[in-house]
Amino acid sequence: MDPRSRRHILTIGLEDYFQVAAFQRVIQSGQWHRFERTVERGTRRTLDLLAEHGVQATFFVLGWVADEYPELVAEVSEAGHEVASKGYYHRNIQLMTPAEFREDLQRSRNAIEAATGKRVMGYRVADRWFVPEDLWALGVLAEEGYRYDSSLALIGRRFSSEPWRRFVHTHIAGERRILEVPISSTSWFGQHIPVAGGTYFRQFPGWMIRRAVDSWHRSYTAPFVMYVHTWEMDSNQPRIDAAPWLQRLRHYRNLTRMPERVAYFLSRYQFTSVASHQGFSISPIEPQGSDRRRKGEKAPSQPATPLPVEVGSRASVSVVVPCYNEEVVIPYLKNTLDAMVETLEDRFDFRFVFVDDASTDRTWGMLKSTFGTRPNCQILRRERNGGVARAVLTGMLAAETGTVCSIDCDCSYDPIYLGSMIPLLEEGVDLVTASPYHPQGGVRNVPGWRLILSKTLSRMYRVVLDEDLHTFTACFRVYRREAFLSTGVDRGGYLGVAEMLGRLSLGGGRIREFPAVLETRVMGHSKMKVLRTIFGHLGLVAQLAWIRLRKGKRRPEAASGREPELQGEDAGGRPEAHG
């Protein structure tokens, strides 16, 4: 049979690399705004590939993407492709109640139809294929007016008692009917193996996929239903290093080969969209109110007239960001800080001091190109690497405000916490520190060995310093600048962060903590040397204990300052930096 003698179905998931199921363990939907976005690049490469082969397809689009990129979604529709729904967020049906699922359907459909001006008829679940227990969702889809669903994939023995579900079929839900367009699979010794696209296209040998598709074409009259994702057309996407190795393998393996593999099938077989294959007519809809969103403009929030901001009432705050070999993190950092400023700008006038701690990669250039033209940003560079604490002290000296914050470049603590921490730096308080080990704090995706190490060290510091704190090593802090201007640190790396707190405590400073959630770094790699850090902390604890035993801990009414026994280098008066 001529491979182009009949039509098969091609479907495409329109989403960005950070939204996929493989990374959901380390990336929450509330963090999506932090990531460098590549969805436009991947989508346009997909459109170019389809145009080159004269193929129309069904694009299953996240409602979130339609809200953020209405012009892009409209471009897909105007290129002749069908646009269907993949839900609003990348959610698993098993984590939603019927009411939540219905609400998600309505929200995603509204967003997509506002972008395209055309009726949405199809749906595909974003995370994991439907299992027999999920078929209730087809009834909800039918009630909501959807013409078809494409969320089934026969894997292993799933639906073994209903083998007809392997092909396009009509599902009856009470008095309603809905077309089901399952992802195609091959059968091997009674087991179903998905071969229709996605990760299977990249993990299985090319010859195996080609043989399976050819066998389907020769054996069945039902269409072969293939699927790919727009992010699979972009092998230069940022890497999510925090994901488990198996998920990284699942996501990145053979990514560079995906365009070539897809092109082979587009040239050999004839593909079209679900709507075109089934003869569904996609009708236009009347836009609700203005068509502003179809032009790429977001509708104004209510009230239309923004509330006035009393600039003079805002507190001026400096935020120091130490950076060492963080070139891959800079776009993530930028988006995170932009979101923080947008949320808190009515309360705080933020000034940023970025300190490149003698990086050996492109961090310095990335900082200059990303933040160099912003009037509220300073960029400093240390001539030799001194560790986080020395970089913070360098930035603190350059700051022009009495309140100075320090945050991790990888944003392992959400900077939005500063909105609650800064007011805690009231009269008489010298330092406010984030505390994931506080009873109301928490950790997310942090390795167990690191938790044991950090908590053990924190207990030791708590005993030695007699401070009612739960965390002593967090870099995420708010400082009273004048209390640290003459402070230096002996220890580099991460030890200096604990040393700064120890100096302040022994000098009679007052410290408060704020419960926060610590998350593992998502991009890049940690610079901490584990054994060196452990022995370094033990040495610092011993030194602090010896000082306290000899002299006794100063009380809060004592003058703050450096202990003679802790003579630090790179004190605030001698930063090694240049702008």
Side-chain angles (χ1 to χ4, degrees):
M1 181 181 296
D2 181 0
R4 300 188 64 84
S5 61
R6 58 191 177 85
R7 299 188 303 171
H8 298 289
I9 294 175
L10 176 63
T11 64
I12 296 171
L14 201 166
E15 59 193 18
D16 221 328
Y17 67 96
F18 53 81
Q19 299 170 321
V20 302
F23 300 147
Q24 285 188 350
R25 178 177 171 181
V26 295
I27 300 175
Q28 313 296 315
S29 59
Q31 299 172 310
W32 285 355
H33 67 276
R34 301 184 183 185
F35 291 86
E36 179 183 3
R37 300 181 183 182
T38 64
V39 65
E40 292 179 289
R41 188 169 66 205
T43 300
R44 293 204 168 93
R45 288 180 180 177
T46 305
L47 290 175
D48 290 344
L49 182 62
L50 297 179
E52 179 183 348
H53 294 277
V55 173
Q56 290 184 340
T58 295
F59 281 72
F60 289 103
V61 180
L62 288 179
W64 185 91
V65 172
D67 268 342
E68 294 291 316
Y69 295 94
E71 279 190 320
L72 180 66
V73 177
E75 182 180 339
V76 172
S77 177
E78 290 164 3
H81 304 289
E82 178 191 7
V83 179
S85 171
K86 205 174 183 183
Y88 195 84
Y89 290 115
H90 208 284
R91 302 178 66 185
N92 184 339
I93 186 68
Q94 296 178 357
L95 300 180
M96 289 187 281
T97 65
E100 291 172 335
F101 179 59
R102 190 183 301 273
E103 180 182 3
D104 187 74
L105 288 175
Q106 295 171 350
R107 186 180 183 188
S108 63
R109 168 180 262 175
N110 290 342
I112 295 168
E113 291 182 347
T116 65
K118 298 176 182 178
R119 182 68 62 190
V120 169
M121 295 187 296
Y123 174 82
R124 170 173 291 163
V125 69
D127 181 17
R128 302 190 182 181
W129 306 108
F130 283 175
V131 297
E133 293 76 18
D134 300 328
L135 294 184
W136 58 265
L138 298 180
V140 177
L141 285 163
E143 292 172 3
E144 289 296 317
Y146 283 81
R147 298 286 301 275
Y148 70 88
D149 170 75
S150 186
S151 302
L152 263 65
L154 275 64
I155 303 175
R157 297 289 296 168
R158 186 182 301 172
F159 296 105
S160 59
S161 62
E162 301 174 309
W164 46 270
R165 289 197 181 276
R166 185 182 174 196
F167 310 100
V168 175
H169 61 273
T170 299
H171 177 84
I172 301 176
E175 298 181 354
R176 300 180 183 272
R177 297 187 175 195
I178 184 170
L179 187 72
E180 179 58 43
V181 185
I183 297 302
S184 298
S185 60
T186 188
S187 182
W188 190 62
F189 292 103
Q191 300 289 323
H192 293 293
I193 303 175
V195 291
T199 187
Y200 307 103
F201 258 36
R202 289 180 282 107
Q203 306 304 329
F204 292 152
W207 63 264
M208 177 181 173
I209 301 296
R210 292 192 296 271
R211 181 176 297 179
V213 177
D214 186 63
S215 175
W216 182 291
H217 180 80
R218 289 184 289 102
S219 303
Y220 307 115
T221 57
F224 186 86
V225 182
M226 182 182 294
Y227 74 101
V228 296
H229 305 91
T230 54
W231 56 263
E232 291 178 301
M233 299 296 112
D234 178 23
S235 60
N236 295 323
Q237 61 192 254
R239 290 186 65 89
I240 307 300
D241 298 300
W245 73 268
L246 186 60
Q247 299 300 337
R248 296 199 305 273
L249 178 69
R250 168 187 173 186
H251 186 87
Y252 295 113
R253 184 173 182 268
N254 286 331
L255 202 58
T256 57
R257 299 181 180 180
M258 194 61 170
E260 178 185 352
R261 290 192 174 186
V262 173
Y264 168 83
F265 292 104
L266 297 187
S267 62
R268 181 172 176 79
Y269 302 94
Q270 185 177 1
F271 286 93
T272 190
S273 65
V274 176
S276 176
H277 191 278
Q278 297 299 316
F280 295 156
S281 176
I282 303 176
S283 59
I285 59 173
E286 291 295 328
Q288 298 295 319
S290 171
D291 62 351
R292 175 188 304 270
R293 291 171 60 207
R294 293 193 59 200
K295 298 177 182 178
E297 305 174 23
K298 292 186 178 180
S301 57
Q302 296 296 328
T305 304
L307 297 175
V309 176
E310 298 181 15
V311 177
S313 65
R314 295 189 299 165
S316 295
V317 178
S318 296
V319 180
V320 177
V321 188
C323 306
Y324 176 63
N325 289 349
E326 299 283 12
E327 63 173 289
V328 300
V329 177
I330 301 304
Y332 180 85
L333 171 67
K334 170 192 172 295
N335 293 337
T336 305
L337 294 181
D338 287 347
M340 179 198 72
V341 170
E342 182 178 356
T343 302
L344 301 177
E345 63 182 350
D346 60 334
R347 297 170 54 199
F348 304 104
D349 175 21
F350 286 110
R351 294 94 181 271
F352 296 93
V353 184
F354 300 92
V355 181
D356 179 4
D357 195 18
S359 296
T360 58
D361 64 357
R362 297 190 306 120
T363 295
W364 174 248
M366 291 287 291
L367 288 173
K368 295 288 285 185
S369 62
T370 304
F371 301 104
T373 59
R374 298 190 178 192
N376 65 335
C377 294
Q378 296 184 65
I379 305 175
L380 308 177
R381 189 179 194 181
R382 291 179 55 85
E383 294 178 353
R384 68 172 183 264
N385 179 262
V388 175
R390 291 182 180 130
V392 170
L393 291 172
T394 297
M396 191 178 296
L397 181 70
E400 300 175 349
T401 62
T403 300
V404 178
C405 310
S406 65
I407 70 172
D408 301 275
C409 186
D410 61 10
C411 299
S412 51
Y413 294 92
D414 191 338
I416 203 71
Y417 286 133
L418 294 179
S420 300
M421 292 174 64
I422 294 172
L424 297 180
L425 197 73
E426 55 194 13
E427 188 67 29
V429 178
D430 299 300
L431 173 67
V432 180
T433 181
S435 179
Y437 309 135
H438 187 283
Q440 298 176 11
V443 296
R444 184 179 297 145
N445 299 316
V446 177
W449 64 266
R450 180 178 168 185
L451 291 179
I452 294 174
L453 173 62
S454 298
K455 288 185 176 182
T456 301
L457 290 171
S458 290
R459 292 190 187 100
M460 296 172 67
Y461 282 116
R462 186 174 187 178
V463 172
V464 169
L465 297 175
D466 191 25
E467 286 283 1
D468 188 20
L469 302 174
H470 298 83
T471 303
F472 292 79
T473 57
C475 178
F476 194 85
R477 294 172 174 173
V478 179
Y479 306 85
R480 188 175 303 282
R481 181 172 179 268
E482 63 183 16
F484 290 87
L485 285 180
S486 61
T487 299
V489 290
D490 289 321
R491 292 158 178 80
Y494 293 87
L495 294 173
V497 176
E499 186 181 348
M500 289 176 67
L501 190 149
R503 290 179 181 278
L504 180 66
S505 176
L506 291 176
R510 186 181 173 198
I511 306 166
R512 298 186 65 175
E513 64 180 356
F514 176 81
V517 175
L518 168 66
E519 302 185 68
T520 188
R521 93 168 15 239
V522 177
M523 309 181 75
H525 300 280
S526 174
K527 316 304 186 299
M528 184 174 68
K529 308 299 182 182
V530 178
L531 290 179
R532 184 186 303 176
T533 300
I534 292 175
F535 287 112
H537 275 294
L538 293 176
L540 177 58
V541 168
Q543 185 176 4
L544 294 174
W546 175 245
I547 295 171
R548 186 157 184 259
L549 286 173
R550 285 183 55 194
K551 300 183 61 175
K553 178 183 173 184
R554 291 187 179 184
R555 305 318 307 164
E557 56 269 16
S560 63
R562 292 194 307 171
E563 290 291 335
E565 291 83 351
L566 287 172
Q567 295 295 330
E569 61 179 87
D570 283 342
R574 296 185 288 113
E576 295 184 348
H578 60 83

